[in-house]
Amino acid sequence: MKQAVRKAVFPVGGMGTRFLPATKSMPKEMLPVVDKPLIQYAVEEAQAAGIEEFIFVTGRGKTAIEDHFDHSVELQDLLATRGRTDQVDAIRAWMPPAGQVAYTRQQEPLGLGHAVWCARHLVGDEPFAVLLADDLILADTPCLKQMMDAYATSGGNMVAVMDVPREHTKRYGVLAVGRDDGRLAEVKGLVEKPEPAAAPSTLSVIGRYILQPAVFGHLDRQERGAGDEIQLTDALARMIGTAPFHGLRFEGERFDCGDKVGFLHANMAFALAREDLRGPVASFLRQLNRRL
Ligand code: G1P
């Protein structure tokens, strides 16, 4: 039996400079795709995968995230007096239960590895998931659930992966692949943001991880990597050979919501996937198409 994955870490300390001015006083994770903040998609994906404890690694200016995952008495009273009990129930349904959400602050922006390391005492000695809210995935079965199902057999460490154009390897953690059945690829090596010519493959890490707590021992070393940051990828690379390590080619469409074009694509795709919006949005897109 593999030890159950009950906890998820959400690194949300980033400054979001690519989305200024929208992110000047609002966390980038609160940017909505259609009508839901990016961070809520990530939390709901974790809930759908059976996660029970939600750990946010925040930073300065991120209190809107804490408020979002808290009851708003005024709002709930207002909705109730208007007879919108459906909306009150909907909010209750996605709210993490009391005592199952925790916040810690990454006091300095030292990289993703450092952000995850800041959660070490909250995670403790058990496997855990990491979800990067910038990577939004439209899928029938949520991506982390697909990973949990694969993890139930493989155990060890697992990352979500997809092939990217070779000229984009500089944006990702990239795998050197061992045994590969077309769905699960054994991770033989891992490099953070390699130049296209130096990349061991084009199979790249998308922001979903299932990790063993031993990763914290490697992150303890606080070694700087690409971009002079403490990289999660480098700590994972050190774990190769110590436990099974796989990349899962998930089913679904991934949108890079850390990028303006990716964010716009996500809004269109998620709107088209919604029954109540599909008609009007599709007809507007057809109109636009005639103008192009
Ligand atoms: C991070 C990771 C990288 C991964 C990427 C996925 O990079 O460091 O390995 O491929 O997320 O989105 P970032 O996008 O934070 O630069």
Side-chain angles (χ1 to χ4, degrees):
M1 260 305 271
K2 311 284 171 319
Q3 197 181 351
V5 182
R6 303 183 309 115
K7 299 184 180 183
V9 174
F10 302 87
V12 291
M15 292 287 284
T17 48
R18 281 197 278 173
F19 273 92
L20 284 168
T23 51
K24 183 168 174 295
S25 64
M26 182 184 79
K28 63 174 175 163
E29 296 80 10
M30 289 301 293
L31 288 169
V33 167
V34 184
D35 54 7
K36 195 189 285 186
L38 283 170
I39 188 63
Q40 192 180 334
Y41 284 98
V43 165
E44 289 182 353
E45 183 178 328
Q47 284 169 327
I51 294 295
E52 295 165 5
E53 293 195 29
F54 305 83
I55 301 164
F56 294 84
V57 182
T58 69
R60 270 177 289 280
K62 298 284 182 166
T63 48
I65 295 176
E66 293 174 47
D67 290 338
H68 189 69
F69 292 104
D70 191 4
H71 292 281
S72 161
V73 178
E74 299 87 343
L75 175 64
Q76 280 162 229
D77 284 354
L78 179 74
L79 291 170
T81 49
R82 289 189 180 162
R84 294 310 309 265
T85 47
D86 55 329
Q87 284 188 315
V88 177
D89 292 345
I91 293 174
R92 288 227 166 87
W94 57 255
M95 188 76 59
Q100 289 174 224
V101 51
Y103 298 91
T104 188
R105 264 165 90 142
Q106 183 186 22
Q107 292 144 316
E108 293 172 279
L110 298 179
L112 177 60
H114 179 257
V116 171
W117 179 79
C118 288
R120 66 201 180 283
H121 295 303
L122 294 165
V123 171
D125 191 24
E126 57 181 283
F128 64 103
V130 177
L131 293 96
L132 307 184
D134 276 1
D135 281 322
L136 181 60
I137 298 161
L138 184 59
D140 292 338
T141 304
C143 180
L144 189 63
K145 172 78 172 92
Q146 296 178 39
M147 292 171 72
M148 292 283 207
D149 291 344
Y151 173 81
T153 315
S154 71
N157 296 298
M158 185 172 290
V159 288
V161 293
M162 63 182 254
D163 272 302
V164 303
R166 187 164 275 275
E167 62 271 25
H168 292 172
T169 56
K170 262 180 84 162
R171 302 180 189 171
Y172 298 95
V174 180
L175 272 60
V177 179
R179 250 181 315 157
D180 187 355
D181 68 7
R183 186 164 174 271
L184 261 195
E186 188 192 359
V187 181
K188 280 283 202 198
L190 202 52
V191 198
E192 181 68 8
K193 301 194 168 70
E195 292 291 336
S201 78
T202 55
L203 203 57
S204 302
V205 177
I206 299 308
R208 300 289 182 277
Y209 307 76
I210 296 176
L211 303 178
Q212 298 304 313
V215 71
F216 293 124
H218 297 283
L219 289 170
D220 276 340
R221 295 157 66 153
Q222 309 268 310
E223 272 174 16
R224 306 286 182 124
D228 199 31
E229 292 189 339
I230 300 167
Q231 295 291 352
L232 181 59
T233 301
D234 296 342
L236 296 183
R238 288 204 200 91
M239 294 169 84
I240 293 169
T242 63
F245 193 171
H246 294 95
L248 176 75
R249 290 187 185 82
F250 57 95
E251 280 166 29
E253 197 177 351
R254 172 262 186 175
F255 299 93
D256 177 6
C257 290
D259 170 79
K260 288 186 187 103
V261 174
F263 178 72
L264 291 171
H265 285 176
N267 269 283
M268 286 182 271
F270 274 73
L272 288 174
R274 284 247 311 240
E275 237 172 78
D276 56 333
L277 299 176
R278 186 177 174 81
V281 172
S283 93
F284 180 61
L285 287 177
R286 278 192 289 270
Q287 256 183 53
L288 279 184
N289 195 27
R290 282 196 288 275
R291 267 193 243 163
L292 296 174

